[in-house]
Every structure is written in structure tokens, then in C-alpha cells.
Amino acid sequence: MNQVCYGLDLRNYDVEQLRKKKQINIQWTMELYKAHPHKEKFFDSKLSNQMNSIEVQIGSGLFRQQIIGGKSEAKIRASWEPGLSQYKEMRKKYLLYN
């Protein structure tokens, strides 16, 4: 109450867009980080009992560094590609249908 809130209003966001893209929206994290007045506390999981560290959620400590470093969304996604390709190749032997 009586505090500035640095959030995004997603009430009218079309969730179908996320489903069609089949990828997470990292732009939201980037926007929130840019707007946050205390950037050193932005990724502090101790300030929220609802979040683990971003490394646990994303699966890589590199993501935090990329956001702080101001990397573009395209560069962040490109950095995930080698691991995603390896995973997709590994999982082929476990798929019942192609």
C-alpha cells in the first residue's frame, strides 16, 4: 500500500500467443529488471517466498548474467541452442512416436 509497484499488467494478455510460440516470454523479465530501482536485489530469492533462485527456474546461472549484462533476447535464446539440440537428440531414443 502506498508504494510504487514495478510489475506488468498481464490481465489482458492473450495467453494463446504463448501457446502458439511454444516458448517462455523472457522479455517480461528483461523489462522488470530494467524498471527495478534496486537492481542488486532483483534476483535475490530471499525477498520472495514464492520463487526459487532464477538458476533453478531457468536451469542455468548464465541467464542472470545475461539479463544483468543487457543481452538481447535473441542472444539469450541463441545461447540455449547447443543444450537444446543435445537434449532433442538424446530424447529421440525415448520417443514412442515421431
Side-chain angles (χ1 to χ4, degrees):
M1 185 171 185
N2 299 322
Q3 278 186 300
V4 176
C5 217
Y6 297 93
L8 300 172
D9 186 353
L10 302 176
R11 289 176 292 186
N12 296 321
Y13 186 79
D14 183 7
V15 179
E16 276 305 309
Q17 287 182 18
L18 285 176
R19 289 188 182 118
K20 287 178 185 174
K21 285 185 177 183
K22 296 183 181 182
Q23 56 184 218
I24 63 170
N25 187 331
I26 61 175
Q27 194 64 39
W28 294 337
T29 304
M30 296 167 80
E31 288 176 34
L32 290 171
Y33 180 77
K34 285 179 188 174
H36 200 279
H38 305 287
K39 298 205 180 344
E40 70 282 356
K41 295 181 180 180
F42 183 79
F43 289 108
D44 189 348
S45 62
K46 295 177 192 123
L47 299 176
S48 172
N49 62 359
Q50 298 172 343
M51 282 187 65
N52 290 322
S53 70
I54 196 73
E55 289 83 4
V56 171
Q57 294 182 21
I58 296 293
S60 168
L62 184 59
F63 181 71
R64 176 196 302 232
Q65 296 166 353
Q66 291 169 324
I67 296 292
I68 292 170
K71 298 279 184 189
S72 70
E73 181 177 357
K75 286 187 179 181
I76 292 172
R77 288 191 188 283
S79 74
W80 296 345
E81 188 51 44
L84 289 171
S85 293
Q86 285 179 328
Y87 172 76
K88 287 175 184 175
E89 190 61 36
M90 180 274 306
R91 77 179 192 140
K92 282 182 182 178
K93 61 185 172 185
Y94 299 104
L95 294 176
L96 296 176
Y97 305 100
N98 290 341

